[in-house]
Amino acid sequence: MAAILAKKLGMTQRFLEDGTAARLTVLEAGPCPVTALRERERDGYEAVQLAFGATDERKLTRAQLGHLKKASAPPMRHLVEFRGERGDLKVGDTVTVDAFSVGERVKVAGITKGKGFQGTIARHGFKRGPKTHGSHNVRAPGSIGAAATPSRVFKGLRMAGHGGARRATQRGLQIVAIEADQNLLLVRGSVPGARGGIVEVRSDG
């Protein structure tokens, strides 16, 4: 098992040996220093904490800088824990794209693109109302509950609101190429998030 943090750079395509064009997502993955290890006896679970995204010291708190200094890591913006991915890693080690191999299946998690305010049709896939016979219920949500009983709207109903900007995981993606000198993973298919977004890459096995 392997895990790493990456930044989504965008999409491209590459022609494979059989002549087909593969749509690829380019991920700048790592290097990610190991900044902490969680132990079941002490913390109740096992995990490895990775850092990613070099930044200026002035953008971090003294507590964050002290935590990174203990692991001999430079100032980095993102800290993420991966459960079940600890392996033989130790604090101070560095995880790179070499932890993965070409042809390996991975799952990528990230925050999807925000869509702003959306109605029920765009947000939840509701059907629209009739457009004829004088109907004014073309894109309205329809009934949201009974009248006299219970005389209120239940919580959790699918209604209009902010769309996107939620965590999503895309599974079954295949690594087509690895460019270790540039810390790049080329993954077949699309991954959640906009260009420049931070994603988590894990082995999907």
Side-chain angles (χ1 to χ4, degrees), residues 77-117:
R77 182 182 300 272
H78 306 282
L79 293 175
V80 176
E81 288 187 2
F82 294 89
R83 295 198 182 197
E85 306 289 350
R86 179 172 173 177
D88 298 328
L89 293 173
K90 300 182 296 294
V91 175
D93 291 349
T94 300
V95 179
T96 65
V97 293
D98 294 329
F100 298 88
S101 58
V102 174
E104 184 178 356
R105 295 283 180 176
V106 295
K107 54 184 177 182
V108 181
I111 304 299
T112 61
K113 292 181 180 180
K115 303 295 184 180
F117 187 89

PDB file of all heavy atoms in Angstrom, residues 77-117:
ATOM      1  N   ARG A  77       2.461  23.725   3.915  1.00  0.00           N
ATOM      2  CA  ARG A  77       1.114  24.225   4.188  1.00  0.00           C
ATOM      3  C   ARG A  77       0.143  23.127   4.609  1.00  0.00           C
ATOM      4  O   ARG A  77      -0.719  23.324   5.466  1.00  0.00           O
ATOM      5  CB  ARG A  77       0.570  24.932   2.942  1.00  0.00           C
ATOM      6  CG  ARG A  77      -0.808  25.551   3.109  1.00  0.00           C
ATOM      7  CD  ARG A  77      -1.267  26.183   1.810  1.00  0.00           C
ATOM      8  NE  ARG A  77      -0.354  27.221   1.373  1.00  0.00           N
ATOM      9  CZ  ARG A  77      -0.453  28.497   1.755  1.00  0.00           C
ATOM     10  NH1 ARG A  77      -1.394  28.846   2.604  1.00  0.00           N
ATOM     11  NH2 ARG A  77       0.381  29.397   1.294  1.00  0.00           N
ATOM     12  N   HIS A  78       0.240  21.936   4.012  1.00  0.00           N
ATOM     13  CA  HIS A  78      -0.778  20.904   4.193  1.00  0.00           C
ATOM     14  C   HIS A  78      -0.230  19.738   4.999  1.00  0.00           C
ATOM     15  O   HIS A  78       0.862  19.227   4.732  1.00  0.00           O
ATOM     16  CB  HIS A  78      -1.292  20.401   2.842  1.00  0.00           C
ATOM     17  CG  HIS A  78      -1.789  21.492   1.945  1.00  0.00           C
ATOM     18  ND1 HIS A  78      -3.020  22.087   2.103  1.00  0.00           N
ATOM     19  CD2 HIS A  78      -1.200  22.109   0.880  1.00  0.00           C
ATOM     20  CE1 HIS A  78      -3.170  23.022   1.179  1.00  0.00           C
ATOM     21  NE2 HIS A  78      -2.095  23.051   0.426  1.00  0.00           N
ATOM     22  N   LEU A  79      -1.012  19.298   5.991  1.00  0.00           N
ATOM     23  CA  LEU A  79      -0.717  18.111   6.784  1.00  0.00           C
ATOM     24  C   LEU A  79      -1.932  17.190   6.725  1.00  0.00           C
ATOM     25  O   LEU A  79      -3.037  17.606   7.064  1.00  0.00           O
ATOM     26  CB  LEU A  79      -0.419  18.471   8.241  1.00  0.00           C
ATOM     27  CG  LEU A  79       0.857  19.270   8.518  1.00  0.00           C
ATOM     28  CD1 LEU A  79       0.920  19.638   9.992  1.00  0.00           C
ATOM     29  CD2 LEU A  79       2.090  18.489   8.117  1.00  0.00           C
ATOM     30  N   VAL A  80      -1.724  15.952   6.295  1.00  0.00           N
ATOM     31  CA  VAL A  80      -2.833  15.005   6.134  1.00  0.00           C
ATOM     32  C   VAL A  80      -2.401  13.662   6.704  1.00  0.00           C
ATOM     33  O   VAL A  80      -1.264  13.212   6.493  1.00  0.00           O
ATOM     34  CB  VAL A  80      -3.242  14.849   4.651  1.00  0.00           C
ATOM     35  CG1 VAL A  80      -4.330  13.790   4.509  1.00  0.00           C
ATOM     36  CG2 VAL A  80      -3.723  16.174   4.092  1.00  0.00           C
ATOM     37  N   GLU A  81      -3.321  13.017   7.437  1.00  0.00           N
ATOM     38  CA  GLU A  81      -3.068  11.686   7.971  1.00  0.00           C
ATOM     39  C   GLU A  81      -3.693  10.623   7.068  1.00  0.00           C
ATOM     40  O   GLU A  81      -4.814  10.786   6.594  1.00  0.00           O
ATOM     41  CB  GLU A  81      -3.635  11.552   9.386  1.00  0.00           C
ATOM     42  CG  GLU A  81      -2.857  12.333  10.428  1.00  0.00           C
ATOM     43  CD  GLU A  81      -3.342  12.048  11.833  1.00  0.00           C
ATOM     44  OE1 GLU A  81      -4.269  11.206  11.988  1.00  0.00           O
ATOM     45  OE2 GLU A  81      -2.824  12.656  12.773  1.00  0.00           O
ATOM     46  N   PHE A  82      -2.963   9.543   6.867  1.00  0.00           N
ATOM     47  CA  PHE A  82      -3.438   8.406   6.085  1.00  0.00           C
ATOM     48  C   PHE A  82      -3.477   7.190   7.002  1.00  0.00           C
ATOM     49  O   PHE A  82      -2.439   6.748   7.490  1.00  0.00           O
ATOM     50  CB  PHE A  82      -2.516   8.128   4.893  1.00  0.00           C
ATOM     51  CG  PHE A  82      -2.500   9.207   3.862  1.00  0.00           C
ATOM     52  CD1 PHE A  82      -1.613  10.267   3.959  1.00  0.00           C
ATOM     53  CD2 PHE A  82      -3.375   9.168   2.795  1.00  0.00           C
ATOM     54  CE1 PHE A  82      -1.589  11.264   3.002  1.00  0.00           C
ATOM     55  CE2 PHE A  82      -3.364  10.158   1.831  1.00  0.00           C
ATOM     56  CZ  PHE A  82      -2.478  11.215   1.937  1.00  0.00           C
ATOM     57  N   ARG A  83      -4.673   6.667   7.237  1.00  0.00           N
ATOM     58  CA  ARG A  83      -4.807   5.475   8.063  1.00  0.00           C
ATOM     59  C   ARG A  83      -4.509   4.235   7.232  1.00  0.00           C
ATOM     60  O   ARG A  83      -4.873   4.155   6.064  1.00  0.00           O
ATOM     61  CB  ARG A  83      -6.213   5.375   8.648  1.00  0.00           C
ATOM     62  CG  ARG A  83      -6.540   6.485   9.625  1.00  0.00           C
ATOM     63  CD  ARG A  83      -7.729   6.121  10.490  1.00  0.00           C
ATOM     64  NE  ARG A  83      -8.083   7.194  11.412  1.00  0.00           N
ATOM     65  CZ  ARG A  83      -8.858   7.033  12.479  1.00  0.00           C
ATOM     66  NH1 ARG A  83      -9.365   5.839  12.741  1.00  0.00           N
ATOM     67  NH2 ARG A  83      -9.135   8.040  13.278  1.00  0.00           N
ATOM     68  N   GLY A  84      -3.868   3.275   7.880  1.00  0.00           N
ATOM     69  CA  GLY A  84      -3.579   2.013   7.212  1.00  0.00           C
ATOM     70  C   GLY A  84      -2.474   2.086   6.183  1.00  0.00           C
ATOM     71  O   GLY A  84      -2.284   1.148   5.410  1.00  0.00           O
ATOM     72  N   GLU A  85      -1.739   3.188   6.128  1.00  0.00           N
ATOM     73  CA  GLU A  85      -0.682   3.341   5.131  1.00  0.00           C
ATOM     74  C   GLU A  85       0.684   3.498   5.784  1.00  0.00           C
ATOM     75  O   GLU A  85       1.635   3.957   5.160  1.00  0.00           O
ATOM     76  CB  GLU A  85      -0.962   4.579   4.248  1.00  0.00           C
ATOM     77  CG  GLU A  85      -2.320   4.607   3.605  1.00  0.00           C
ATOM     78  CD  GLU A  85      -2.472   3.587   2.499  1.00  0.00           C
ATOM     79  OE1 GLU A  85      -1.461   2.986   2.107  1.00  0.00           O
ATOM     80  OE2 GLU A  85      -3.597   3.379   2.028  1.00  0.00           O
ATOM     81  N   ARG A  86       0.798   3.147   7.059  1.00  0.00           N
ATOM     82  CA  ARG A  86       2.027   3.429   7.802  1.00  0.00           C
ATOM     83  C   ARG A  86       3.212   2.620   7.274  1.00  0.00           C
ATOM     84  O   ARG A  86       4.269   3.167   6.987  1.00  0.00           O
ATOM     85  CB  ARG A  86       1.797   3.154   9.289  1.00  0.00           C
ATOM     86  CG  ARG A  86       3.019   3.381  10.139  1.00  0.00           C
ATOM     87  CD  ARG A  86       2.710   3.281  11.614  1.00  0.00           C
ATOM     88  NE  ARG A  86       3.920   3.334  12.404  1.00  0.00           N
ATOM     89  CZ  ARG A  86       3.938   3.323  13.729  1.00  0.00           C
ATOM     90  NH1 ARG A  86       2.809   3.261  14.395  1.00  0.00           N
ATOM     91  NH2 ARG A  86       5.081   3.384  14.390  1.00  0.00           N
ATOM     92  N   GLY A  87       3.039   1.318   7.165  1.00  0.00           N
ATOM     93  CA  GLY A  87       4.116   0.476   6.666  1.00  0.00           C
ATOM     94  C   GLY A  87       5.359   0.578   7.533  1.00  0.00           C
ATOM     95  O   GLY A  87       5.297   0.580   8.763  1.00  0.00           O
ATOM     96  N   ASP A  88       6.521   0.695   6.888  1.00  0.00           N
ATOM     97  CA  ASP A  88       7.801   0.786   7.595  1.00  0.00           C
ATOM     98  C   ASP A  88       8.311   2.220   7.676  1.00  0.00           C
ATOM     99  O   ASP A  88       9.503   2.439   7.929  1.00  0.00           O
ATOM    100  CB  ASP A  88       8.851  -0.095   6.890  1.00  0.00           C
ATOM    101  CG  ASP A  88       8.458  -1.566   6.888  1.00  0.00           C
ATOM    102  OD1 ASP A  88       7.808  -1.991   7.854  1.00  0.00           O
ATOM    103  OD2 ASP A  88       8.798  -2.260   5.913  1.00  0.00           O
ATOM    104  N   LEU A  89       7.451   3.196   7.449  1.00  0.00           N
ATOM    105  CA  LEU A  89       7.879   4.595   7.447  1.00  0.00           C
ATOM    106  C   LEU A  89       8.243   5.046   8.856  1.00  0.00           C
ATOM    107  O   LEU A  89       7.689   4.585   9.854  1.00  0.00           O
ATOM    108  CB  LEU A  89       6.765   5.479   6.888  1.00  0.00           C
ATOM    109  CG  LEU A  89       6.427   5.279   5.404  1.00  0.00           C
ATOM    110  CD1 LEU A  89       5.197   6.098   5.026  1.00  0.00           C
ATOM    111  CD2 LEU A  89       7.618   5.676   4.527  1.00  0.00           C
ATOM    112  N   LYS A  90       9.184   5.990   8.914  1.00  0.00           N
ATOM    113  CA  LYS A  90       9.601   6.592  10.169  1.00  0.00           C
ATOM    114  C   LYS A  90       9.548   8.105  10.027  1.00  0.00           C
ATOM    115  O   LYS A  90       9.603   8.635   8.899  1.00  0.00           O
ATOM    116  CB  LYS A  90      11.019   6.145  10.533  1.00  0.00           C
ATOM    117  CG  LYS A  90      11.188   4.644  10.710  1.00  0.00           C
ATOM    118  CD  LYS A  90      12.588   4.272  11.124  1.00  0.00           C
ATOM    119  CE  LYS A  90      13.615   4.612  10.075  1.00  0.00           C
ATOM    120  NZ  LYS A  90      13.462   3.835   8.843  1.00  0.00           N
ATOM    121  N   VAL A  91       9.435   8.806  11.150  1.00  0.00           N
ATOM    122  CA  VAL A  91       9.440  10.262  11.130  1.00  0.00           C
ATOM    123  C   VAL A  91      10.764  10.744  10.547  1.00  0.00           C
ATOM    124  O   VAL A  91      11.842  10.300  10.955  1.00  0.00           O
ATOM    125  CB  VAL A  91       9.236  10.832  12.543  1.00  0.00           C
ATOM    126  CG1 VAL A  91       9.375  12.347  12.526  1.00  0.00           C
ATOM    127  CG2 VAL A  91       7.866  10.440  13.081  1.00  0.00           C
ATOM    128  N   GLY A  92      10.665  11.636   9.568  1.00  0.00           N
ATOM    129  CA  GLY A  92      11.850  12.126   8.880  1.00  0.00           C
ATOM    130  C   GLY A  92      12.034  11.523   7.504  1.00  0.00           C
ATOM    131  O   GLY A  92      12.777  12.071   6.674  1.00  0.00           O
ATOM    132  N   ASP A  93      11.366  10.375   7.225  1.00  0.00           N
ATOM    133  CA  ASP A  93      11.412   9.802   5.881  1.00  0.00           C
ATOM    134  C   ASP A  93      10.661  10.688   4.899  1.00  0.00           C
ATOM    135  O   ASP A  93       9.864  11.551   5.290  1.00  0.00           O
ATOM    136  CB  ASP A  93      10.806   8.397   5.875  1.00  0.00           C
ATOM    137  CG  ASP A  93      11.673   7.395   6.622  1.00  0.00           C
ATOM    138  OD1 ASP A  93      12.814   7.744   6.949  1.00  0.00           O
ATOM    139  OD2 ASP A  93      11.188   6.279   6.890  1.00  0.00           O
ATOM    140  N   THR A  94      10.899  10.458   3.625  1.00  0.00           N
ATOM    141  CA  THR A  94      10.232  11.222   2.578  1.00  0.00           C
ATOM    142  C   THR A  94       9.556  10.265   1.600  1.00  0.00           C
ATOM    143  O   THR A  94      10.192   9.329   1.100  1.00  0.00           O
ATOM    144  CB  THR A  94      11.229  12.118   1.815  1.00  0.00           C
ATOM    145  OG1 THR A  94      11.843  13.025   2.734  1.00  0.00           O
ATOM    146  CG2 THR A  94      10.513  12.921   0.741  1.00  0.00           C
ATOM    147  N   VAL A  95       8.281  10.506   1.330  1.00  0.00           N
ATOM    148  CA  VAL A  95       7.524   9.693   0.376  1.00  0.00           C
ATOM    149  C   VAL A  95       7.538  10.395  -0.976  1.00  0.00           C
ATOM    150  O   VAL A  95       7.219  11.587  -1.077  1.00  0.00           O
ATOM    151  CB  VAL A  95       6.075   9.486   0.859  1.00  0.00           C
ATOM    152  CG1 VAL A  95       5.292   8.658  -0.154  1.00  0.00           C
ATOM    153  CG2 VAL A  95       6.056   8.818   2.220  1.00  0.00           C
ATOM    154  N   THR A  96       7.900   9.677  -2.022  1.00  0.00           N
ATOM    155  CA  THR A  96       7.949  10.227  -3.376  1.00  0.00           C
ATOM    156  C   THR A  96       7.103   9.362  -4.309  1.00  0.00           C
ATOM    157  O   THR A  96       6.503   8.369  -3.901  1.00  0.00           O
ATOM    158  CB  THR A  96       9.401  10.281  -3.884  1.00  0.00           C
ATOM    159  OG1 THR A  96       9.900   8.939  -4.008  1.00  0.00           O
ATOM    160  CG2 THR A  96      10.282  11.068  -2.916  1.00  0.00           C
ATOM    161  N   VAL A  97       7.092   9.757  -5.584  1.00  0.00           N
ATOM    162  CA  VAL A  97       6.326   9.004  -6.580  1.00  0.00           C
ATOM    163  C   VAL A  97       6.891   7.604  -6.798  1.00  0.00           C
ATOM    164  O   VAL A  97       6.232   6.748  -7.394  1.00  0.00           O
ATOM    165  CB  VAL A  97       6.276   9.765  -7.926  1.00  0.00           C
ATOM    166  CG1 VAL A  97       5.478  11.046  -7.797  1.00  0.00           C
ATOM    167  CG2 VAL A  97       7.690  10.051  -8.424  1.00  0.00           C
ATOM    168  N   ASP A  98       8.112   7.354  -6.315  1.00  0.00           N
ATOM    169  CA  ASP A  98       8.703   6.023  -6.463  1.00  0.00           C
ATOM    170  C   ASP A  98       7.948   4.971  -5.662  1.00  0.00           C
ATOM    171  O   ASP A  98       8.168   3.774  -5.853  1.00  0.00           O
ATOM    172  CB  ASP A  98      10.167   6.056  -6.012  1.00  0.00           C
ATOM    173  CG  ASP A  98      11.027   6.917  -6.931  1.00  0.00           C
ATOM    174  OD1 ASP A  98      10.701   6.976  -8.130  1.00  0.00           O
ATOM    175  OD2 ASP A  98      11.992   7.535  -6.438  1.00  0.00           O
ATOM    176  N   ALA A  99       7.061   5.419  -4.748  1.00  0.00           N
ATOM    177  CA  ALA A  99       6.254   4.464  -3.984  1.00  0.00           C
ATOM    178  C   ALA A  99       5.191   3.804  -4.855  1.00  0.00           C
ATOM    179  O   ALA A  99       4.587   2.810  -4.445  1.00  0.00           O
ATOM    180  CB  ALA A  99       5.596   5.165  -2.802  1.00  0.00           C
ATOM    181  N   PHE A 100       4.946   4.339  -6.060  1.00  0.00           N
ATOM    182  CA  PHE A 100       3.945   3.800  -6.977  1.00  0.00           C
ATOM    183  C   PHE A 100       4.636   3.195  -8.190  1.00  0.00           C
ATOM    184  O   PHE A 100       5.829   3.397  -8.424  1.00  0.00           O
ATOM    185  CB  PHE A 100       2.970   4.891  -7.421  1.00  0.00           C
ATOM    186  CG  PHE A 100       2.179   5.495  -6.295  1.00  0.00           C
ATOM    187  CD1 PHE A 100       2.674   6.584  -5.589  1.00  0.00           C
ATOM    188  CD2 PHE A 100       0.947   4.992  -5.932  1.00  0.00           C
ATOM    189  CE1 PHE A 100       1.959   7.147  -4.543  1.00  0.00           C
ATOM    190  CE2 PHE A 100       0.218   5.539  -4.891  1.00  0.00           C
ATOM    191  CZ  PHE A 100       0.726   6.619  -4.203  1.00  0.00           C
ATOM    192  N   SER A 101       3.877   2.451  -8.976  1.00  0.00           N
ATOM    193  CA  SER A 101       4.417   1.814 -10.177  1.00  0.00           C
ATOM    194  C   SER A 101       3.446   2.001 -11.335  1.00  0.00           C
ATOM    195  O   SER A 101       2.238   2.165 -11.138  1.00  0.00           O
ATOM    196  CB  SER A 101       4.668   0.321  -9.925  1.00  0.00           C
ATOM    197  OG  SER A 101       3.465  -0.325  -9.540  1.00  0.00           O
ATOM    198  N   VAL A 102       3.978   1.965 -12.540  1.00  0.00           N
ATOM    199  CA  VAL A 102       3.154   2.113 -13.743  1.00  0.00           C
ATOM    200  C   VAL A 102       2.202   0.927 -13.850  1.00  0.00           C
ATOM    201  O   VAL A 102       2.585  -0.224 -13.655  1.00  0.00           O
ATOM    202  CB  VAL A 102       4.048   2.213 -14.986  1.00  0.00           C
ATOM    203  CG1 VAL A 102       3.199   2.216 -16.257  1.00  0.00           C
ATOM    204  CG2 VAL A 102       4.921   3.453 -14.923  1.00  0.00           C
ATOM    205  N   GLY A 103       0.945   1.219 -14.147  1.00  0.00           N
ATOM    206  CA  GLY A 103      -0.082   0.191 -14.252  1.00  0.00           C
ATOM    207  C   GLY A 103      -0.841  -0.034 -12.960  1.00  0.00           C
ATOM    208  O   GLY A 103      -1.856  -0.742 -12.960  1.00  0.00           O
ATOM    209  N   GLU A 104      -0.385   0.553 -11.874  1.00  0.00           N
ATOM    210  CA  GLU A 104      -1.040   0.373 -10.578  1.00  0.00           C
ATOM    211  C   GLU A 104      -2.371   1.122 -10.536  1.00  0.00           C
ATOM    212  O   GLU A 104      -2.513   2.202 -11.117  1.00  0.00           O
ATOM    213  CB  GLU A 104      -0.126   0.879  -9.459  1.00  0.00           C
ATOM    214  CG  GLU A 104      -0.657   0.670  -8.061  1.00  0.00           C
ATOM    215  CD  GLU A 104       0.319   1.149  -7.000  1.00  0.00           C
ATOM    216  OE1 GLU A 104       1.439   1.566  -7.366  1.00  0.00           O
ATOM    217  OE2 GLU A 104      -0.033   1.101  -5.796  1.00  0.00           O
ATOM    218  N   ARG A 105      -3.346   0.544  -9.858  1.00  0.00           N
ATOM    219  CA  ARG A 105      -4.641   1.181  -9.669  1.00  0.00           C
ATOM    220  C   ARG A 105      -4.616   2.024  -8.398  1.00  0.00           C
ATOM    221  O   ARG A 105      -4.135   1.574  -7.355  1.00  0.00           O
ATOM    222  CB  ARG A 105      -5.745   0.134  -9.555  1.00  0.00           C
ATOM    223  CG  ARG A 105      -5.950  -0.679 -10.830  1.00  0.00           C
ATOM    224  CD  ARG A 105      -6.717   0.093 -11.873  1.00  0.00           C
ATOM    225  NE  ARG A 105      -6.908  -0.686 -13.092  1.00  0.00           N
ATOM    226  CZ  ARG A 105      -7.619  -0.260 -14.136  1.00  0.00           C
ATOM    227  NH1 ARG A 105      -8.183   0.936 -14.089  1.00  0.00           N
ATOM    228  NH2 ARG A 105      -7.745  -1.016 -15.208  1.00  0.00           N
ATOM    229  N   VAL A 106      -5.117   3.253  -8.504  1.00  0.00           N
ATOM    230  CA  VAL A 106      -5.126   4.152  -7.355  1.00  0.00           C
ATOM    231  C   VAL A 106      -6.511   4.777  -7.218  1.00  0.00           C
ATOM    232  O   VAL A 106      -7.323   4.768  -8.157  1.00  0.00           O
ATOM    233  CB  VAL A 106      -4.067   5.270  -7.503  1.00  0.00           C
ATOM    234  CG1 VAL A 106      -2.669   4.702  -7.490  1.00  0.00           C
ATOM    235  CG2 VAL A 106      -4.316   6.091  -8.764  1.00  0.00           C
ATOM    236  N   LYS A 107      -6.779   5.301  -6.023  1.00  0.00           N
ATOM    237  CA  LYS A 107      -7.986   6.087  -5.784  1.00  0.00           C
ATOM    238  C   LYS A 107      -7.554   7.474  -5.346  1.00  0.00           C
ATOM    239  O   LYS A 107      -6.609   7.634  -4.566  1.00  0.00           O
ATOM    240  CB  LYS A 107      -8.883   5.435  -4.735  1.00  0.00           C
ATOM    241  CG  LYS A 107      -8.208   5.125  -3.418  1.00  0.00           C
ATOM    242  CD  LYS A 107      -9.154   4.380  -2.484  1.00  0.00           C
ATOM    243  CE  LYS A 107      -8.472   3.995  -1.177  1.00  0.00           C
ATOM    244  NZ  LYS A 107      -9.373   3.224  -0.292  1.00  0.00           N
ATOM    245  N   VAL A 108      -8.245   8.491  -5.869  1.00  0.00           N
ATOM    246  CA  VAL A 108      -7.870   9.877  -5.637  1.00  0.00           C
ATOM    247  C   VAL A 108      -9.042  10.600  -4.989  1.00  0.00           C
ATOM    248  O   VAL A 108     -10.169  10.559  -5.497  1.00  0.00           O
ATOM    249  CB  VAL A 108      -7.473  10.579  -6.959  1.00  0.00           C
ATOM    250  CG1 VAL A 108      -7.070  12.020  -6.691  1.00  0.00           C
ATOM    251  CG2 VAL A 108      -6.340   9.823  -7.635  1.00  0.00           C
ATOM    252  N   ALA A 109      -8.777  11.247  -3.855  1.00  0.00           N
ATOM    253  CA  ALA A 109      -9.804  11.978  -3.123  1.00  0.00           C
ATOM    254  C   ALA A 109      -9.454  13.454  -3.110  1.00  0.00           C
ATOM    255  O   ALA A 109      -8.290  13.834  -2.959  1.00  0.00           O
ATOM    256  CB  ALA A 109      -9.932  11.455  -1.694  1.00  0.00           C
ATOM    257  N   GLY A 110     -10.479  14.291  -3.257  1.00  0.00           N
ATOM    258  CA  GLY A 110     -10.279  15.735  -3.233  1.00  0.00           C
ATOM    259  C   GLY A 110     -11.597  16.458  -3.070  1.00  0.00           C
ATOM    260  O   GLY A 110     -12.654  15.833  -2.932  1.00  0.00           O
ATOM    261  N   ILE A 111     -11.556  17.773  -3.083  1.00  0.00           N
ATOM    262  CA  ILE A 111     -12.741  18.616  -2.976  1.00  0.00           C
ATOM    263  C   ILE A 111     -13.200  18.999  -4.377  1.00  0.00           C
ATOM    264  O   ILE A 111     -12.423  19.564  -5.156  1.00  0.00           O
ATOM    265  CB  ILE A 111     -12.462  19.886  -2.144  1.00  0.00           C
ATOM    266  CG1 ILE A 111     -11.929  19.501  -0.763  1.00  0.00           C
ATOM    267  CG2 ILE A 111     -13.725  20.713  -2.008  1.00  0.00           C
ATOM    268  CD1 ILE A 111     -12.890  18.672   0.065  1.00  0.00           C
ATOM    269  N   THR A 112     -14.447  18.687  -4.707  1.00  0.00           N
ATOM    270  CA  THR A 112     -14.962  18.958  -6.047  1.00  0.00           C
ATOM    271  C   THR A 112     -15.095  20.454  -6.297  1.00  0.00           C
ATOM    272  O   THR A 112     -15.066  21.262  -5.367  1.00  0.00           O
ATOM    273  CB  THR A 112     -16.325  18.281  -6.251  1.00  0.00           C
ATOM    274  OG1 THR A 112     -17.254  18.823  -5.286  1.00  0.00           O
ATOM    275  CG2 THR A 112     -16.221  16.787  -6.055  1.00  0.00           C
ATOM    276  N   LYS A 113     -15.253  20.803  -7.540  1.00  0.00           N
ATOM    277  CA  LYS A 113     -15.434  22.206  -7.910  1.00  0.00           C
ATOM    278  C   LYS A 113     -16.731  22.753  -7.303  1.00  0.00           C
ATOM    279  O   LYS A 113     -17.765  22.076  -7.325  1.00  0.00           O
ATOM    280  CB  LYS A 113     -15.505  22.361  -9.432  1.00  0.00           C
ATOM    281  CG  LYS A 113     -14.212  22.075 -10.153  1.00  0.00           C
ATOM    282  CD  LYS A 113     -14.391  22.277 -11.649  1.00  0.00           C
ATOM    283  CE  LYS A 113     -13.097  21.993 -12.405  1.00  0.00           C
ATOM    284  NZ  LYS A 113     -13.269  22.184 -13.863  1.00  0.00           N
ATOM    285  N   GLY A 114     -16.676  23.957  -6.780  1.00  0.00           N
ATOM    286  CA  GLY A 114     -17.873  24.593  -6.262  1.00  0.00           C
ATOM    287  C   GLY A 114     -18.726  25.128  -7.400  1.00  0.00           C
ATOM    288  O   GLY A 114     -18.218  25.726  -8.356  1.00  0.00           O
ATOM    289  N   LYS A 115     -20.032  24.912  -7.345  1.00  0.00           N
ATOM    290  CA  LYS A 115     -20.942  25.323  -8.412  1.00  0.00           C
ATOM    291  C   LYS A 115     -21.814  26.514  -8.019  1.00  0.00           C
ATOM    292  O   LYS A 115     -22.679  26.922  -8.805  1.00  0.00           O
ATOM    293  CB  LYS A 115     -21.856  24.149  -8.804  1.00  0.00           C
ATOM    294  CG  LYS A 115     -21.108  22.898  -9.230  1.00  0.00           C
ATOM    295  CD  LYS A 115     -20.319  23.117 -10.498  1.00  0.00           C
ATOM    296  CE  LYS A 115     -19.659  21.831 -10.966  1.00  0.00           C
ATOM    297  NZ  LYS A 115     -18.881  22.015 -12.206  1.00  0.00           N
ATOM    298  N   GLY A 116     -21.646  27.028  -6.787  1.00  0.00           N
ATOM    299  CA  GLY A 116     -22.500  28.120  -6.357  1.00  0.00           C
ATOM    300  C   GLY A 116     -23.905  27.631  -6.028  1.00  0.00           C
ATOM    301  O   GLY A 116     -24.147  26.436  -5.834  1.00  0.00           O
ATOM    302  N   PHE A 117     -24.854  28.552  -5.975  1.00  0.00           N
ATOM    303  CA  PHE A 117     -26.240  28.203  -5.650  1.00  0.00           C
ATOM    304  C   PHE A 117     -26.880  27.500  -6.834  1.00  0.00           C
ATOM    305  O   PHE A 117     -26.835  27.997  -7.961  1.00  0.00           O
ATOM    306  CB  PHE A 117     -27.031  29.461  -5.282  1.00  0.00           C
ATOM    307  CG  PHE A 117     -28.415  29.167  -4.772  1.00  0.00           C
ATOM    308  CD1 PHE A 117     -28.636  28.960  -3.428  1.00  0.00           C
ATOM    309  CD2 PHE A 117     -29.494  29.081  -5.641  1.00  0.00           C
ATOM    310  CE1 PHE A 117     -29.907  28.684  -2.943  1.00  0.00           C
ATOM    311  CE2 PHE A 117     -30.763  28.801  -5.179  1.00  0.00           C
ATOM    312  CZ  PHE A 117     -30.976  28.608  -3.825  1.00  0.00           C
TER     313      PHE A 117
END
